[in-house]
Amino acid sequence: MSTLTFQGAVKEVTGSRYLIETDGDGGPKKLLLECGLHQGGSDADEANARPFGRLAGELDAVVISHGHLDHSGLLPKLVREGYRGPIHCTRGTRDLLEIMLQDAAFIMAKDVEWENKWRKRNNKPLVEPLYELGDVARTLALCESHPYGQPVNLPGGATLVFRDAGHILGSAIVELAVPSGGRSKRLVFSGDLGNPSSVLMRDPGKVYEADVVLMESTYGDRDHRPLDETLEEFAEVLEQAHKAGGNVLIPAFAVGRTQEILYHLSVLYHEGRLRQQMVFLDSPMAIKVTELYHRARKALDADDLKVLNVAASGDTRQYLPILRMTRTVEESMAINRIHGGAIVIAGAGMCNGGRIIHHFRYNLARPSTRVVIVGFQADGTLGRSLVDGAEQVKVLGEMLPVKAKVHTLGGFSAHAGQTELIGWAGAFRHSPRFYLVHGEPGAQQALQAALAEAGIAAEIPGYGDSVPL
């Protein structure tokens, strides 16, 4: 009997990892579904540093649903510790991994450099990064990309098919047909399901047949506000910031959310409703991803591209002339000399690092500043503290008063809300077993109850739990 073991993103949102051990005719095989980075506080750092042990050398294949680091960010660490097999993903995911993993390795190197300077001064043992650029290069060389809908043979007689999840470029629902007890069992992993209301992405695909379903539950406790209402609130916040004479800071994930925000700013600009004269995309990674989205625009929603009128050229200057892309540290630092009238989009999305931190340092204490939160903020992150109304926060080792007005706009979410999750789950025939992953406990329990009302039984697994397939 083949088994599934939950090794991450259980009763939490990040750190996705699931081990599948098969018992097919070719002998037992081990497949890893996802290899994600934990994001949050010190507990996340400890979880990321934990060695894979023998698993790195025993795995026969790895499958990745999409390029967000909480699903893929530990791949180079797995390779560093000895994995040499294939990494299966879509083409869009492969292209994103090149950008995101290199960026992650670069940031780790800088963080470790600063940490070790302190350790040397205090006679502490030095530390090493989780991985380096060489590990990223070896990881990318192992990637094998596949289009949606194409069956892929895996070791041990398993078969893989990717379906469009509508979340970010290349995001996939994962279908695995796994030999188990002399039969073929179908495991479906939702990955991160997209929000049908969000722009640029196509709607998530429906799947109808499964024996076991792993379903994300990030927003299992709520529906998102309608997009048109969210856009009106966004426009009002921007207008208030203009009248107050302050800057607008938008911490945004480099992949997906940044491109969606730029889209909406473009629409407001061409409607004559954007009063600010400067929009800065202050993230080298987000700039690269935005350029990738333009190159891969055939994979995006054609109707949304018509609104921007960039289907032919993909030239950002065409749809948002006031956009400035700041690639260098010097260009980023220069933004902080602007005391008002600017919109600054910068990473990291959960405010747990990146250039947004430096902009907080110069702007959070100003009542005229507006901070617009447009993505999920995990427990333990600086972004979550701001959402929860903290009156002061620690930024770059300094306690800062939060005088800026903080606005949370959930309607921009690239995740399905509760109603969409229930609708997706309800498409399955023959009552498969459901397991809720990628959600904080409150959200999972709310979704579990809502699913039960719809006649769908779902379990909430714990870390290390194993179930038969």
Side-chain angles (χ1 to χ4, degrees):
M1 184 72 69
S2 297
T3 59
L4 166 69
T5 303
F6 298 88
Q7 297 189 339
V10 285
K11 300 181 181 178
E12 63 172 325
V13 175
T14 65
S16 191
R17 192 200 308 175
Y18 314 98
L19 177 64
I20 300 164
E21 298 175 88
T22 71
D23 68 349
D25 294 338
K29 300 293 181 182
K30 292 186 177 182
L31 312 175
L32 193 66
L33 175 58
E34 311 286 75
C35 192
L37 194 73
H38 294 266
Q39 295 168 313
S42 58
D43 289 346
D45 294 337
E46 291 176 13
N48 291 330
R50 202 171 296 135
F52 285 96
R54 292 183 301 176
L55 184 63
E58 293 174 349
L59 286 173
D60 296 285
V62 175
V63 177
I64 299 296
S65 70
H66 67 284
H68 275 148
L69 291 180
D70 60 324
H71 292 256
S72 66
L74 285 185
L75 281 172
K77 182 174 184 287
L78 183 69
V79 171
R80 185 183 181 100
E81 295 184 19
Y83 179 68
R84 295 296 180 267
I87 299 170
H88 297 281
C89 58
T90 66
R91 176 58 187 270
T93 295
R94 164 61 180 78
D95 291 341
L96 283 174
L97 288 177
E98 182 170 359
I99 296 170
M100 300 187 74
L101 295 179
Q102 288 178 352
D103 184 79
F106 177 80
I107 291 173
M108 284 180 198
K110 290 293 185 185
D111 289 346
V112 166
E113 180 182 350
W114 281 103
E115 174 75 9
N116 283 338
K117 285 181 179 178
W118 178 87
R119 287 176 172 268
K120 283 181 180 178
R121 289 195 302 268
N122 293 276
N123 295 317
K124 302 284 186 181
L126 302 184
V127 296
E128 291 187 356
L130 295 177
Y131 50 82
E132 300 173 319
L133 285 170
D135 303 308
V136 172
R138 285 185 286 274
T139 300
L140 296 172
L142 297 175
C143 287
E144 298 182 10
S145 60
H146 313 283
Y148 295 127
Q150 175 184 292
V152 180
N153 293 325
L154 300 182
T159 303
L160 161 69
V161 178
F162 289 122
R163 308 287 182 192
D164 194 343
H167 177 57
I168 62 170
L169 182 67
S171 62
I173 298 162
V174 178
E175 291 185 58
L176 288 168
V178 179
S180 181
R183 301 176 59 190
S184 178
K185 295 292 185 178
R186 190 178 297 271
L187 168 68
V188 174
F189 172 47
S190 68
D192 282 354
L193 291 173
N195 180 353
S197 296
S198 63
V199 296
L200 299 178
M201 294 295 104
R202 296 167 179 158
D203 289 352
K206 291 284 181 68
V207 184
Y208 302 98
E209 302 294 337
D211 297 289
V212 175
V213 179
L214 307 185
M215 188 169 75
E216 67 120 324
S217 52
T218 309
Y219 288 99
D221 57 346
R222 73 197 95 157
D223 282 330
H224 302 304
R225 189 178 184 187
L227 182 60
D228 56 351
E229 294 181 14
T230 299
L231 291 175
E232 284 305 309
E233 184 178 357
F234 186 40
E236 179 60 28
V237 170
L238 297 178
E239 179 65 21
Q240 289 175 11
H242 172 73
K243 290 179 178 177
N247 292 322
V248 179
L249 305 183
I250 306 178
F253 297 96
V255 182
R257 197 59 45 83
T258 289
Q259 292 73 40
E260 185 172 5
I261 293 300
L262 288 174
Y263 175 96
H264 292 304
L265 288 173
S266 169
V267 172
L268 290 173
Y269 175 85
H270 287 288
E271 289 177 349
R273 301 177 65 192
L274 188 61
R275 304 281 293 277
Q276 283 81 2
Q277 296 302 307
M278 297 170 285
V279 176
F280 294 97
L281 179 52
D282 189 29
S283 164
M285 181 169 69
I287 292 169
K288 291 178 183 177
V289 172
T290 300
E291 292 169 342
L292 172 61
Y293 265 60
H294 289 312
R295 293 196 301 273
R297 56 192 175 273
K298 289 183 179 179
L300 305 180
D301 188 292
D303 291 336
D304 290 336
L305 291 179
K306 288 177 184 175
V307 173
L308 294 182
N309 195 30
V310 295
S313 71
D315 185 354
T316 56
R317 293 168 297 183
Q318 180 178 327
Y319 70 84
L320 190 55
I322 61 173
L323 177 64
R324 303 290 180 266
M325 297 189 178
T326 51
R327 301 174 192 268
T328 68
V329 172
E330 291 75 18
E331 289 173 322
S332 177
M333 292 172 63
I335 296 172
N336 289 317
R337 294 197 290 268
I338 301 171
H339 293 171
I343 298 171
V344 183
I345 305 167
M350 295 188 191
C351 312
N352 54 340
R355 293 183 177 180
I356 194 67
I357 299 298
H358 296 275
H359 298 305
F360 281 169
R361 183 182 183 187
Y362 288 91
N363 289 274
L364 269 187
R366 294 176 179 157
S368 61
T369 298
R370 301 295 185 268
V371 177
V372 181
I373 302 293
V374 295
F376 184 84
Q377 305 298 309
D379 193 29
T381 62
L382 174 56
R384 182 62 165 265
S385 296
L386 292 173
V387 168
D388 289 343
E391 294 183 356
Q392 59 178 3
V393 292
K394 181 177 273 190
V395 175
L396 298 172
E398 177 185 357
M399 292 304 296
L400 287 180
V402 181
K403 298 291 183 63
K405 289 184 171 59
V406 179
H407 302 266
T408 303
L409 304 184
F412 285 133
S413 177
H415 283 265
Q418 186 188 80
T419 297
E420 288 82 25
L421 290 170
I422 294 172
W424 187 81
F428 286 94
R429 307 183 184 105
H430 312 304
S431 301
R433 286 179 285 147
F434 276 84
Y435 296 94
L436 303 183
V437 296
H438 275 279
E440 293 180 350
Q444 292 188 317
Q445 291 161 11
L447 180 58
Q448 183 184 44
L451 286 168
E453 289 184 8
I456 301 170
E459 298 180 42
I460 301 174
Y463 180 82
D465 286 357
S466 291
V467 297
L469 292 179

